[in-house]
Amino acid sequence: MAKAKLEAGMTFGGFVLKQLLHTGGMAQLWQVTPEHSSEVLLMKVPVLAEGEDPATIVGFEMEQMIMPRLKGPHVPRFIANGDFAVQPFIVMEKIDGESLLPKLTSLPLPVQEVVEIGRKVAVALDALHHQRVVHLDIKPSNIMMRSTGEAVLVDFGLSRHLDLPDLVAEEFRLPYGTAPYMAPEQILGQRHDFRSDFFALGALLYFFATGERPFGDPPRLKGLKRRLWWDPPPPRMLNRDIPLWLQEVILRCLEVNASRRYPNAQQLLFDLNNPSEVKLTKRAHKERPDGFFVRLKRKSEPFESLIDHPKDASEGLAQAPIIAVAIDLATMSPELSEQVRQTVMRIVERSKEVRVACLNVLRLKRLALDSTLDEEGNNKHISRIVQLKDWARPLEVPQAQVSFHVLEATDPAEAILEYARENTVDHIVMGARDNSTMRKLLGSVSARVASEAPCTVTVVRDRKDQDASGG
């Protein structure tokens, strides 16, 4: 199980902790070396303290799934993963450069430096998108510069790989991202559009060129949605040194409707490399924000009508049935557990493209405060993920087609139903509670799910219970 406190000199997973480099809200970064080598590497370890946001765990799982699939100079070279059952971590190369974060102390930057940053990030995004990944958290601290000049994109905890389960979207309803850089469609829950990264890059270039964030740093969803109808001051209004062509590029990246942004990173890069070829529109000549009545008209329109739903970015998404398996780890007998597993295996055999989502509900108390740790000091959320993975291992479902979710709720049946509704589940499989007095008094979770679910439900009974009841 994950260690409560890490210290220099510790060894696990074949790596020696040398120096703590950074502690953030969701993870620590350690300089490490392999046990039998002097190579300097970087280890990322999630922060798993009492009361920690479950998004920390989900984001780290997402990053563990994505990073081994990434290649090239624009992402850190992946070395190893650590299992949640022992100690979760990601080991990667240590980039011999620094992030763009220190640039914030000297804004606005010279125009040519802003353009050069834009070029390098566009090249990195092009490489990432060709690997079918939308980053969804482009910001200064997540862009590093190698000593050889290439931009390196880091931190894939909020990213979307079009060939992998999207754990963030499946488990959380609120949008996740960094407020100053989030694209409108991302705020509305759309996480599969490559052009969301161009919006974030546009916000970053605006910030670096003017010293002002185009949309501020709103702390609430209401403030985030304001950017769907309230346009920022044109960059040249804040800095007259910005050329017309660069204002055209920045404002095109910041278009609310993704169909009006650059269709791909190659075209964005072309404009940044060829200023004289940039076609100037009214965006380039804009001198002030839109007037009150123009903004009011936009605000009166449904937000969703402003968002383009692209075919190009979603064609690769797997169109496959989703099977949710609700597993009660606390009370399910070994016999019933195996019967549920056999039922799922029969369903999987009928569809090679099936997605299996293994669910467990961590039941919360209605009145008292809940601890995130069990009696032995282990994180409950992680313990149950480990148990779910152990349960699913005999299914032999490819990693890209199975995911694990611990739902925290006071009402288990409602949690399962909400998951099924929000994720368009096609089939729910679950075990029935045994014939106990508790079942008669409290009712059956499976009975409620079966009666209210928007999809097919298979309730598996323990054969011993069936024999005892004569059924």
Side-chain angles (χ1 to χ4, degrees):
M1 190 55 65
K3 296 174 175 59
K5 184 179 180 180
L6 303 180
E7 297 178 348
M10 282 185 173
T11 299
F12 55 84
F15 300 92
V16 182
L17 300 184
K18 292 295 186 180
Q19 180 184 358
L20 178 61
L21 302 177
H22 174 74
T23 297
M26 302 180 75
Q28 290 185 338
L29 297 178
W30 284 83
Q31 180 174 304
V32 302
T33 58
E35 285 186 279
H36 306 295
S37 170
S38 60
E39 182 182 10
V40 176
L41 300 170
L42 187 70
M43 177 182 285
K44 184 173 184 178
V45 184
V47 175
L48 301 172
E50 166 70 23
E52 196 63 47
D53 187 346
T56 299
I57 300 169
V58 175
F60 201 81
E61 281 191 291
M62 204 70 246
E63 193 162 20
Q64 283 190 321
M65 293 167 64
I66 291 174
M67 282 204 66
R69 294 170 171 252
L70 300 180
K71 308 292 182 184
H74 302 291
V75 294
R77 176 170 53 92
F78 171 78
I79 305 296
N81 272 339
D83 196 280
F84 274 93
V86 182
Q87 173 66 57
F89 64 81
I90 301 172
V91 175
M92 65 194 86
E93 71 167 307
K94 187 176 184 294
I95 306 299
D96 57 346
E98 62 179 16
S99 77
L100 294 180
L101 192 61
K103 299 286 187 184
L104 271 57
T105 62
S106 54
L107 301 182
L109 300 179
V111 167
Q112 191 52 45
E113 185 174 358
V114 173
V115 173
E116 187 62 22
I117 289 171
R119 288 172 183 159
K120 291 180 177 181
V121 177
V123 171
L125 285 175
D126 182 52
L128 185 70
H129 294 171
H130 274 87
Q131 296 180 71
R132 299 178 58 74
V133 176
V134 194
H135 192 281
L136 295 173
D137 199 19
I138 295 296
K139 59 183 179 181
S141 59
N142 285 343
I143 301 169
M144 301 194 69
M145 293 294 176
R146 293 188 187 274
S147 59
T148 50
E150 299 95 339
V152 181
L153 305 178
V154 301
D155 196 347
F156 297 91
L158 299 181
S159 299
R160 174 74 198 277
H161 194 303
L162 299 187
D163 297 328
L164 291 173
D166 187 4
L167 305 186
V168 175
E170 291 180 357
E171 295 201 23
F172 304 106
R173 301 279 72 83
L174 291 175
Y176 272 83
T178 302
Y181 306 97
M182 289 178 67
E185 64 275 8
Q186 189 178 348
I187 294 168
L188 296 179
Q190 189 179 111
R191 288 176 38 83
H192 63 269
D193 196 331
F194 298 126
R195 296 168 297 186
S196 298
D197 289 340
F198 305 150
F199 186 96
L201 178 55
L204 184 148
L205 296 179
Y206 183 111
F207 188 22
F208 279 15
T210 67
E212 302 287 339
R213 293 185 174 94
F215 307 101
D217 189 6
R220 296 181 177 84
L221 183 59
K222 182 179 179 181
L224 285 171
K225 286 187 174 181
R226 191 169 184 255
R227 72 192 56 179
L228 277 74
W229 57 277
W230 188 277
D231 60 315
R236 283 173 49 82
M237 180 177 169
L238 303 176
N239 182 357
R240 297 301 294 182
D241 290 337
I242 296 173
L244 293 172
W245 74 267
L246 184 55
Q247 175 164 300
E248 173 73 32
V249 170
I250 291 174
L251 292 185
R252 184 175 178 184
C253 288
L254 292 177
E255 285 283 355
V256 172
N257 193 311
S259 67
R260 301 192 64 190
R261 298 178 212 149
Y262 287 94
N264 52 52
Q266 294 101 311
Q267 290 195 27
L268 170 56
L269 180 61
F270 182 89
D271 276 3
L272 290 169
N273 282 333
N274 302 277
S276 62
E277 301 294 327
V278 176
K279 181 181 178 181
L280 302 183
T281 70
K282 63 180 181 180
R283 287 184 290 242
H285 301 284
K286 193 172 184 180
E287 296 184 352
R288 60 182 57 87
D290 292 334
F292 173 79
F293 290 106
V294 175
R295 289 171 165 177
L296 186 63
K297 182 177 183 297
R298 284 201 296 263
K299 186 179 181 181
S300 66
E301 299 174 356
F303 287 156
E304 287 74 10
S305 68
L306 302 175
I307 303 302
D308 179 52
H309 296 275
K311 294 181 180 179
D312 56 334
S314 59
E315 285 177 345
L317 294 174
Q319 300 298 315
I322 300 176
I323 311 302
V325 190
I327 305 163
D328 186 346
L329 296 168
T331 64
M332 185 179 288
S333 68
E335 294 78 8
L336 180 56
S337 176
E338 179 59 27
Q339 289 164 30
V340 171
R341 190 183 293 113
Q342 291 296 325
T343 300
V344 174
M345 291 175 70
R346 287 193 292 270
I347 297 172
V348 169
E349 290 174 354
R350 295 198 294 267
S351 178
K352 294 182 180 180
E353 296 296 326
V354 67
R355 271 282 317 281
V356 179
C358 298
L359 314 179
N360 176 256
V361 180
L362 181 57
R363 191 163 190 166
L364 303 179
K365 301 171 185 176
R366 292 186 180 275
L367 299 178
L369 293 176
D370 290 274
S371 171
T372 59
L373 306 180
D374 60 23
E375 295 178 354
E376 298 178 354
N378 297 320
N379 184 285
K380 295 177 183 177
H381 198 109
I382 292 178
S383 296
R384 296 199 179 194
I385 287 176
V386 172
Q387 292 175 52
L388 284 174
K389 289 183 176 181
D390 288 340
W391 181 90
R393 194 166 287 114
L395 295 176
E396 298 182 353
V397 178
Q399 179 187 14
Q401 293 174 229
V402 62
S403 56
F404 307 92
H405 314 272
V406 176
L407 312 177
E408 299 185 359
T410 56
D411 184 341
E414 182 56 35
I416 296 168
L417 289 167
E418 181 180 2
Y419 183 92
R421 289 190 290 262
E422 295 293 339
N423 295 290
T424 60
V425 168
D426 300 289
H427 194 157
I428 298 173
V429 180
M430 60 191 308
R433 184 179 288 168
D434 60 12
N435 292 314
S436 64
T437 302
M438 188 65 68
R439 176 185 177 188
K440 295 175 183 177
L441 291 174
L442 299 180
S444 169
V445 172
S446 57
R448 182 179 168 196
V449 171
S451 64
E452 299 182 23
C455 60
T456 301
V457 177
T458 298
V459 178
V460 181
R461 292 281 304 277
D462 192 325
R463 293 189 181 92
K464 292 188 301 182
D465 288 341
Q466 294 177 25
D467 293 339
S469 61

